[in-house]
């Protein structure tokens, strides 16, 4: 297992900072005070917490060490399916950090925020152009938050029509957040199965769609990485019974410049700026999940909306049918700047090319590994492909064992045990930003691991072996969680 990206290096251990603390050490030199020293009134300041006393070098090494114990797209390939862990060009970070953007104050008022308002207004229109919707809100703070906004919009639409409906149809290839968002809005989820090809059959939808069903939530491309080819027909079936179609567009990275969901019959759709449009993600945020809607649903969009009168931009809150606010102020502005810079620097052609490459890379992996790992749905995929451990079961080696072993080969593991439609799924999304050499190295690593599964299965059971922390007792962690440091 040589010739893989370096996974061994100087990994330093470090005791707790309190153990390193020595009285009197201090990492900063404060200037001499030019006022008289006096004792603080302890009853006013309370008891001060005991902080470790460390030199500047101790502190620098501590944080540098922490950064080295971390793994991100900037350190290596991160093929986590359903997450689009692509490289985010640094220029977009630079733009977001510009003084005028970074220190814009949300209470400054429209008059003093014209640049920021213009950027948001233009970004709404660019995203509308990419997705095929006449209006977009940038407020929601994440994909799931966008879903909630979308569900509230669907709920408000039916309320306005005079009859509330109680159910939402959710296919087994939808993202797990979909039923959660529907349930938060008080809807009952009606689960349906995809057909043999891994996509939805119109007849399955027709069988459950009725006039008590508010609509359907479809992830497209779905969580198997397959395009829902019958989407237009499904939209017609749902619309014929007065329902609406929610599109989960978190997988937009596969179809930018190729398909406009708004033109397929979808009524509401969210995007994940922190997946497709250049915001680094992981660790829980912050994110941004803009929502695009069809013409009929514009009145229900969250407020404030941004409007342009001649050359001035302003926030508008007087919208009688709005679902209200989804976020304080207008969402996560820094992420909007990154998306705006990304879209302008890529251009329409560049985005189109990015999606083509994302799809090409996933298909290359699928074809290269389909004789190595089991591929339950053997057809052209979009931006990700899903394998499982069926061929390794005879050696008692699981998807989890192989995923853990990948760490020893210098790769972040792919998504495992999701989507649920595939038993013990091993879901790979290379994204467009990895080179062929990197992808080949990943393929070689998986092949080598599958070989090990046959020859030394007991070794895989203990993997990872070369990381700072080896196999964790996950059952123990769940049963006896240690919630304090
Ligand atoms: C990531 C993802 C979501 C949820 O997005 P968050 O920003 O994590 O809330 C929803 N649907 C799909 C298909 C996704 O991949």
């Amino acid at each position: 297992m040589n010739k893989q990206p370096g996974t061994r290096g100087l990994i330093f251990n470090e005791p707790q900072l309190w153990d390193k603390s020595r009285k009197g050490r201090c990492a900063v030199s404060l200037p001499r005070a030019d006022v008289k020293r006096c004792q603080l009134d302890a009853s006013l300041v309370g008891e001060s917490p005991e902080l470790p006393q460390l030199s500047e070098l101790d502190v620098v090494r501590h944080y540098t060490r922490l950064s080295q114990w971390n793994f991100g797209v900037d350190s290596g390939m991160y093929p986590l399916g359903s997450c689009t862990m692509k490289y985010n060009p640094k220029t977009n970070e630079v733009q977001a950090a510009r003084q005028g953007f970074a220190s814009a104050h949300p209470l400054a008022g429209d008059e003093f925020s014209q640049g920021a308002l213009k950027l948001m207004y233009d970004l709404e229109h660019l995203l509308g152009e990419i997705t095929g919707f006449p209006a977009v809100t940038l407020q929601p703070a994440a994909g799931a938050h966008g879903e909630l906004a979308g569900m509230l919009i669907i709920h408000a639409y039916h309320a306005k029509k005079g009859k509330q409906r109680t159910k939402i149809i959710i296919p087994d290839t939808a993202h797990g957040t979909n039923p959660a968002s529907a349930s938060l809005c008080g809807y009952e989820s009606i689960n349906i199965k995809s057909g043999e090809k891994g996509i939805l059959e119109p007849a399955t939808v027709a069988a459950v769609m009725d006039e008590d069903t508010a609509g359907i939530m479809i992830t497209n491309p779905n969580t198997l990485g397959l395009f829902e080819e019958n989407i237009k027909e499904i939209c017609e079936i749902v619309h014929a019974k007065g329902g609406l179609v929610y599109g989960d567009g978190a997988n937009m990275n596969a179809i930018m410049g190729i398909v406009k969901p708004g033109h397929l019959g979808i009524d509401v759709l969210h995007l994940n700026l922190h997946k497709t449009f250049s915001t680094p993600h992981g660790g829980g945020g912050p994110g941004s999940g803009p929502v695009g809607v069809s013409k009929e649903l514009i009145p229900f969009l969250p407020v404030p909306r941004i409007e342009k009168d001649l050359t001035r931009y302003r926030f508008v809150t007087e919208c009688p049918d709005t679902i209200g606010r989804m976020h304080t102020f207008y969402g996560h502005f820094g992420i909007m700047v990154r998306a705006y810079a990304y879209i302008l620097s890529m251009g329409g052609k560049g985005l189109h090319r990015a999606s083509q490459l994302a799809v090409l890379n996933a298909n290359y992996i699928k074809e290269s590994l389909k004789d190595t790992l089991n591929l339950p749905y053997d057809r052209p995929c979009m931006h990700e492909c899903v394998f499982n451990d069926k061929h390794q079961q005879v050696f008692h080696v699981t998807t989890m064992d192989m995923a853990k072993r990948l760490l020893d080969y210098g790769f972040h593991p792919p998504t495992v045990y999701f989507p649920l439609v595939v038993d013990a799924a091993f879901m790979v999304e290379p994204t467009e930003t990895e080179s062929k050499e990197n992808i080949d190295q990943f393929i070689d690593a998986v092949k080598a691991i599958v070989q090990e599964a046959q020859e030394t299965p007991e070794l895989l059971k203990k993997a990872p072996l070369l990381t700072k922390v080896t196999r964790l007792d996950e059952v123990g962690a769940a049963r006896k969680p240690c919630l304090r440091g």
Side-chain angles (χ1 to χ4, degrees), residues 422-439:
V422 168
D423 273 341
F426 182 98
M427 183 201 212
V428 185
E429 180 179 3
T431 82
E432 73 277 16
T433 56
E434 293 301 331
S435 65
K436 177 160 183 300
E437 296 76 54
N438 293 348
I439 294 177

Side-chain angles (χ1 to χ4, degrees), residues 367-417:
E367 287 303 310
S368 306
L369 286 178
K370 75 178 189 189
D371 297 326
T372 307
L373 289 170
N374 180 49
L375 179 72
Y377 295 93
D378 187 2
R379 29 192 318 245
C381 62
M382 301 300 290
H383 58 304
E384 56 199 4
C385 51
V386 187
F387 303 97
N388 73 1
D389 59 12
K390 196 167 166 211
H391 300 332
Q392 284 68 46
Q393 282 168 9
V394 279
F395 311 114
H396 303 285
V397 168
T398 63
T399 287
M400 186 59 86
D401 300 330
M402 294 189 282
K404 297 279 186 196
R405 184 64 171 151
L406 264 172
L407 294 166
D408 288 334
Y409 282 81
F411 290 98
H412 190 285
T415 293
V416 292
Y417 300 89

Side-chain angles (χ1 to χ4, degrees), residues 82 142-144 147 175 177-178 219 223 248 250-251 270 272 274-275:
S82 196
E147 293 169 25
H175 194 262
T177 46
N178 291 187
T219 304
T223 52
D248 180 328
N251 293 334
H270 84 261
N272 283 44
H274 51 287
K275 285 180 183 167

Side-chain angles (χ1 to χ4, degrees), residues 3-5 77 361 364-365 411 430 432-445:
K3 290 209 213 126
Q4 295 296 334
M77 187 168 162
N361 287 353
Y364 179 65
I365 291 185
F411 290 98
E432 73 277 16
T433 56
E434 293 301 331
S435 65
K436 177 160 183 300
E437 296 76 54
N438 293 348
I439 294 177
D440 281 336
Q441 265 179 338
F442 174 78
I443 291 167
D444 288 347

Side-chain angles (χ1 to χ4, degrees), residues 11-29:
I11 303 177
F12 296 103
N13 282 322
E14 186 181 56
Q16 290 219 324
L17 290 186
W18 280 272
D19 298 339
K20 290 185 81 175
S21 174
R22 293 292 176 275
K23 203 166 168 37
R25 282 192 191 155
C26 183
V28 286
S29 318

